[in-house]
Amino acid sequence: MSLRHAILGIVSAKPMTGYDLIKTFGNSVAYTWAAGQAQIYPELHKMERAGFLKSRTAARGAGEKRVYAITPAGTKELRRWVSEPVSYPAERDALRLKTTYMEMASPADARRFFFEHIDHYKRYLERLHVRLQVVNELSGPLLRARLAKEKPADHKAIIAWKALGVRGQIARAEAEIEWAHECLATLDQLHPVEGAAPKKRAVHKAPSKAVKRAG
Amino acid sequence: MSLRHAILGIVSAKPMTGYDLIKTFGNSVAYTWAAGQAQIYPELHKMERAGFLKSRTAARGAGEKRVYAITPAGTKELRRWVSEPVSYPAERDALRLKTTYMEMASPADARRFFFEHIDHYKRYLERLHVRLQVVNELSGPLLRARLAKEKPADHKAIIAWKALGVRGQIARAEAEIEWAHECLATLDQLHPVEGAAPKKRAVHKAPSKAVKRAG
DNA sequence: GGAAGCATGTAAAAGGTTACATGATTGC
DNA sequence: GCAATCATGTAACCTTTTACATGCTTCC
């Protein structure tokens, strides 16, 4: 149940509305724990009932909005969770499963998948590098709010751990890109492109036909 | 909905019972798509109703057991799915989220987490390497059954894709281990161990011991 | 007056986990 | 006889996704 703890982590830096929280989940936190609006509002209600959050109404023009702040019990729960061992979830990866049966797809489709894989993770990497810079330059408003609450002696550690979280995602993304290149290389060996200069050892295949096509 | 396609992939090699399928999910497939017994039996019923599988009863001593085989519709569905683009799920990683707030844990707890992370992925890596060897040596009964059904000209591609699926998981596990070492190095800088010789600019280097644990 | 963004919710369904529940067969 | 393993299921619960639903405020 980490959605709860992701929320506690965010509001521990600064009280905010559900809407603000949703935006935060769309930016910084999304790199490690994603959550949608339909999950966040009900969870806020549950957390207030459980005593981890306390809300107050604030003015918004003529109307009102609800601002959530962490309670001492919430802070305690956050620390408890941080110190508790993680349990590793079962592996589940659709593209990897698909790769296992990739001989059933056309070489063109296969090529497309791995290009898309590289593309996906390259774009993810770009956002991660931006995020890493934001962390290292302390240019994020939430991080600034957090640092303002903590002793200057602790700032170094706070920044280091945030950066390492991002670096972990970067490492994973880079591994995915490298793997996809490996897949493309294998694909080129299995199905040499007509007219293309053979790069390495050409694979000698007697039948010129493609492996197998859907149908 | 990849559970369905994982099942189709397995039974496309060889007809089997639900029980056999569960064992297979506990071994080979588990590396890319995990599923428990409580999911598999109901899914088999649904798939038979949908026409993707056909079951027949087989003798088991005095009793009976149910053997599922893929139908032409099932084969078609499998090929359709393989050729269909994947959609990337939202990122969700409990340890990475926890790392973001690791300054709230004690250095001892933090150290423990990353050692456990390394340990977890080292053991996973071991199983993956065994699996890779099984694939490359064609010593798995399911893979043999599959190859027996396909043209020898296609064998190379079938093996290559299975191996690449495993290699992807290996790449990811290795990236996790490297990252955890980076975290440990940072931890050493933030909280130098008493009596330890201070390294300047510690690069991620494995601590000589303690990474290993009895299985 | 209208668009963009602020703000807050609910409902239904899908997918997955944990626990419960049962009984036959094989090998020692 | 007993244990391990074969074999098949269900129930309750939790988490997440997709879609529906509403209305105010700010700025142009």
Side-chain angles (χ1 to χ4, degrees):
Chain A
M1 209 209 328
S2 287
L3 170 61
R4 171 160 299 188
H5 303 106
I7 291 175
L8 285 174
I10 298 165
V11 295
S12 72
K14 191 164 81 177
M16 57 177 76
T17 65
Y19 188 82
D20 290 333
L21 216 37
I22 289 159
K23 270 193 306 178
T24 306
F25 269 94
N27 301 327
S28 53
V29 208
Y31 303 125
T32 41
W33 201 273
Q37 174 240 41
Q39 256 186 298
I40 291 170
Y41 283 113
E43 184 63 27
L44 285 173
H45 301 329
K46 271 190 248 169
M47 287 168 77
E48 180 157 28
R49 259 180 277 135
F52 296 135
L53 298 179
K54 184 81 201 291
S55 73
R56 60 181 178 80
T57 54
R60 180 180 170 247
E64 284 188 338
K65 61 181 179 181
R66 195 152 283 276
V67 180
Y68 291 87
I70 196 166
T71 63
T75 304
K76 203 179 152 192
E77 169 62 16
L78 179 57
R79 283 179 198 286
R80 189 200 61 72
W81 170 79
V82 170
S83 304
E84 179 196 66
V86 288
S87 63
Y88 292 88
E91 300 285 340
R92 216 163 263 133
D93 187 310
L95 183 62
R96 215 85 84 202
L97 179 63
K98 207 165 277 202
T99 298
T100 298
Y101 302 108
M102 199 56 88
E103 77 276 358
M104 296 182 194
S106 70
D109 280 342
R111 196 164 264 114
R112 189 155 38 237
F113 292 150
F114 296 115
F115 275 123
E116 264 173 39
H117 198 66
I118 291 166
D119 198 51
H120 172 81
Y121 280 103
K122 281 223 165 138
R123 273 180 293 149
Y124 184 42
L125 259 186
E126 265 173 49
R127 286 184 294 134
L128 287 169
H129 281 299
V130 169
R131 176 72 193 150
L132 192 57
Q133 209 175 344
V134 165
V135 170
N136 285 327
E137 291 173 354
L138 320 182
S139 45
L142 207 61
L143 182 53
R144 284 182 174 215
R146 186 183 303 278
L147 294 178
K149 297 178 95 173
E150 305 291 340
K151 297 196 302 268
D154 297 339
H155 289 191
K156 196 176 166 178
I158 292 169
I159 294 157
W161 290 121
K162 301 252 173 308
L164 277 168
V166 180
R167 285 198 51 75
Q169 297 301 90
I170 288 174
R172 181 178 292 186
E174 285 174 346
E176 289 297 334
I177 290 168
E178 228 179 292
W179 171 74
H181 280 302
E182 202 185 330
C183 291
L184 285 171
T186 300
L187 190 60
D188 283 341
Q189 280 181 15
L190 291 170
H191 308 278
V193 179
E194 299 292 323
K199 289 179 183 176
K200 295 181 184 175
R201 298 150 284 149
V203 177
H204 304 296
K205 276 191 75 178
S208 60
K209 288 228 171 165
V211 168
K212 209 168 195 181
R213 285 260 333 264
Chain B
M1 208 206 335
S2 286
L3 169 61
R4 171 160 300 187
H5 302 105
I7 291 174
L8 285 174
I10 298 166
V11 296
S12 72
K14 190 165 81 176
M16 58 177 78
T17 65
Y19 188 83
D20 290 334
L21 214 38
I22 288 160
K23 271 194 304 178
T24 307
F25 268 95
N27 300 327
S28 54
V29 209
Y31 303 125
T32 41
W33 201 273
Q37 173 240 42
Q39 257 187 297
I40 291 171
Y41 284 114
E43 184 62 28
L44 285 173
H45 300 329
K46 271 190 248 170
M47 287 169 76
E48 181 157 28
R49 260 180 278 135
F52 297 134
L53 298 179
K54 186 82 200 289
S55 73
R56 59 181 179 80
T57 54
R60 177 178 174 250
E64 285 188 335
K65 61 181 179 181
R66 195 152 283 278
V67 180
Y68 290 88
I70 197 166
T71 62
T75 304
K76 202 178 156 193
E77 169 61 17
L78 179 58
R79 283 178 198 285
R80 188 201 60 74
W81 169 78
V82 170
S83 305
E84 179 196 65
V86 287
S87 61
Y88 291 89
E91 300 286 341
R92 216 162 264 135
D93 187 309
L95 182 63
R96 214 86 83 201
L97 178 63
K98 206 165 277 203
T99 299
T100 299
Y101 301 109
M102 199 55 89
E103 76 276 357
M104 296 182 194
S106 71
D109 280 342
R111 196 164 266 115
R112 190 156 38 237
F113 291 150
F114 297 114
F115 275 124
E116 264 173 39
H117 197 67
I118 291 166
D119 197 54
H120 172 82
Y121 279 104
K122 280 223 165 136
R123 275 182 290 151
Y124 184 41
L125 259 185
E126 265 173 50
R127 285 184 293 135
L128 287 168
H129 281 299
V130 169
R131 176 71 193 151
L132 191 57
Q133 208 175 346
V134 165
V135 170
N136 285 327
E137 290 173 354
L138 320 183
S139 45
L142 206 62
L143 181 53
R144 283 183 176 214
R146 186 182 303 280
L147 293 177
K149 296 178 95 172
E150 303 292 339
K151 297 196 301 272
D154 298 340
H155 289 190
K156 195 173 171 176
I158 291 169
I159 295 157
W161 290 121
K162 302 250 172 310
L164 277 168
V166 181
R167 287 198 49 75
Q169 297 302 88
I170 288 174
R172 179 178 291 186
E174 285 174 345
E176 289 297 333
I177 290 169
E178 229 180 293
W179 171 75
H181 281 305
E182 203 185 327
C183 291
L184 284 170
T186 299
L187 190 58
D188 284 342
Q189 280 181 12
L190 291 171
H191 307 278
V193 179
E194 299 294 319
K199 297 174 192 174
K200 47 154 73 173
R201 294 292 244 142
V203 198
H204 33 80
K205 180 87 170 68
S208 56
K209 255 198 162 177
V211 178
K212 234 193 291 188
R213 236 198 56 197

